[in-house]
Amino acid sequence: MAISRLNHAVLYVRDAQRSARFYSDVLGFRVVMSMGDRAVFVQAPDSTNDHDLGLFSVGDGAGASPAGRSTVGLYHLAWEVQTLSDLVDLREKLATAGALVGASDHSTSKSLYGQDPDGIEFEIAWLVPADRVDDAVLHGRSSIAPLDLDAEIARYGADTTGGIGVSTAALS
């Protein structure tokens, strides 16, 4: 049996309610179930999953994860947006919240990086549609460049739907 996609992730956070507010206020997730201070389940705006994140409280005394510094562990989660306009909007929301920590051009994807209140990193990406992936785009994957969203909008259009033929079926 083949795996088709990630259904949800579960994160241990200091305060599930605080984290749920962050994911709701900044990324537009909605709370689908709450177990008071113990756990909150949230769903991304256009998701069909029952929930995309389960947030479990472990208390304010919890230390930061040493993953990637002194232990193995998850580096980040990545979510996809439909348009470069969506990426621009989220860049502003992340910056306003003090949560924007990076922006990269991976050639086939254009990515923002953020951190939630507990320092858990995530990526938000727009994927170049398959019919726009040419030899230059494929060659560009060999390095990571700073993201110039204005240049990408000039190249692909602000409202071009990304991921077609890559992460979603090609339109017929």
Side-chain angles (χ1 to χ4, degrees), residues 50-62:
D50 174 69
H51 65 281
D52 293 289
L53 283 178
L55 304 165
F56 285 76
S57 293
V58 295
D60 288 334

Side-chain angles (χ1 to χ4, degrees), residues 73-95:
L74 181 68
Y75 172 30
H76 68 250
L77 303 170
W79 291 290
E80 185 177 339
V81 294
Q82 289 194 348
T83 68
L84 288 168
S85 286
D86 294 332
L87 210 56
V88 169
D89 290 344
L90 285 168
R91 178 183 60 185
E92 309 240 342
K93 289 179 179 178
L94 288 166

